[in-house]
Amino acid sequence: MKNKVQEWIREGCNFDHGLKLLTVIGKNKQLPRIMAGSEKRYAGKLLYELCKAGGFSMHEFQEMKESLLSSSEQSDGENTGISNSDNPGMTAEHKPETVEAKALPDNVQRVIKEHSDLFKLRAQLHEQMTELPEDNSQETVKKRKNLSDSIAQLSPRIDLMFAAKESFYTEGKLPDMKILFPEPPADDPGASLLPSDPAELKKLKKNLQSANTKDQNMLEFQDAKKGDKPNPMPAGPKRQKLEFRIKDRIAQIEEIDYKILSLDNQNE
């Protein structure tokens, strides 16, 4: 089924052909009928449903979607349609998330930008990993671990932004900005100020990552240390507080990564 979905994408993501394919491989046989005739509204959802039915992971789907958007923008900087022969049927209106940006609520635009920025940052970190030497020297191992930890910290927030974005497109649900973009504590106006010393930034980042690991263990094992068997914390105020705290730290780590990259570029 994966091959069929990949072939559909290579042939240009024709909406009607996609609906026929979803009828064959999808579990919900009513869904194609619901989406029929509403290409602008359901183009993104069709891609998602086909990828899900085809057995793609969420990570694979996200990267595929970003790749489609990127290739469309590069082939058509003015949004007039795709002339690339590899995508003969994919005009601007076939793009997922086809709603005009000016018609989107400000909160949704912010979520979309955040998702895009984080996705690009993660790609940069991946690229930095590939450029590391293949040896296992102490310095290389340390750099590899730092990059890997950064990627691991970014991924949950990327997934969070993606979920918020998809909820708007598929359900019309506006994102909860208090959860997605928590404000610094009112009694700590300098919380968002970061040092300019790379060593201090990395130390701060490591402390935030360690704190998140402990809180994540509390969510999964109800203990600061990882247990032998899962013992998830039940839903409730305590769990919500921990989840909010983790998201807040991830946002801080993101700011640190941006600053580290900025300092690296200045020193080049």
Side-chain angles (χ1 to χ4, degrees), residues 40-41 95-105 112 168-169:
K40 290 185 177 181
R41 180 178 180 183
K95 292 181 187 179
E97 302 169 7
T98 186
V99 181
E100 291 289 342
K102 63 183 180 182
L104 294 173
I112 292 173
F168 173 76
Y169 282 119

Side-chain angles (χ1 to χ4, degrees), residues 2-118:
K2 239 181 182 182
N3 291 337
K4 291 182 179 179
V5 176
Q6 289 172 332
E7 182 180 357
W8 173 74
I9 292 173
R10 284 196 299 270
E11 291 177 351
C13 301
N14 180 277
F15 188 74
D16 291 333
H17 293 171
L19 291 179
K20 291 178 181 179
L21 178 58
L22 186 61
T23 302
V24 175
I25 68 175
K27 293 182 179 179
N28 187 342
K29 303 303 180 184
Q30 298 299 320
L31 193 55
R33 297 178 186 175
I34 295 172
M35 292 192 290
S38 302
E39 181 174 353
K40 290 185 177 181
R41 180 178 180 183
Y42 290 118
K45 184 169 178 59
L46 176 61
L47 175 64
Y48 170 74
E49 292 294 338
L50 283 172
C51 287
K52 182 173 70 172
F56 290 88
S57 67
M58 181 61 72
H59 177 72
E60 289 175 320
F61 165 68
Q62 288 182 27
E63 294 203 336
M64 188 179 304
K65 188 172 182 180
E66 292 291 338
S67 177
L68 281 171
L69 290 171
S70 176
S71 62
S72 296
E73 289 167 0
Q74 290 173 9
S75 300
D76 176 20
E78 298 180 357
N79 252 1
T80 57
I82 305 301
S83 59
N84 190 319
S85 60
D86 291 333
N87 297 288
M90 189 160 180
T91 59
E93 67 180 13
H94 288 81
K95 292 181 187 179
E97 302 169 7
T98 186
V99 181
E100 291 289 342
K102 63 183 180 182
L104 294 173
D106 291 343
N107 288 351
V108 177
Q109 290 188 49
R110 185 178 179 188
V111 168
I112 292 173
K113 184 179 185 306
E114 178 78 355
H115 179 264
S116 176
D117 289 345
L118 290 176

Side-chain angles (χ1 to χ4, degrees), residues 58-60 62-63 114-115 117-123 125-126 129 146-164 180 205 209 212 216 246-247 249-251 253-254 257:
M58 181 61 72
H59 177 72
E60 289 175 320
Q62 288 182 27
E63 294 203 336
E114 178 78 355
H115 179 264
D117 289 345
L118 290 176
F119 196 91
K120 291 175 183 176
L121 177 58
R122 185 171 65 179
L125 295 174
H126 272 297
M129 283 190 71
N146 285 337
L147 289 169
S148 177
D149 288 345
S150 297
I151 291 169
Q153 291 288 353
L154 283 174
S155 293
R157 185 160 175 80
I158 291 173
D159 292 343
L160 187 67
M161 293 298 149
F162 174 78
L180 298 178
K205 176 181 172 180
Q209 289 173 331
N212 263 4
Q216 192 63 44
I246 289 173
K247 292 171 186 174
R249 291 198 194 102
I250 289 174
I253 290 169
E254 174 196 335
D257 282 328

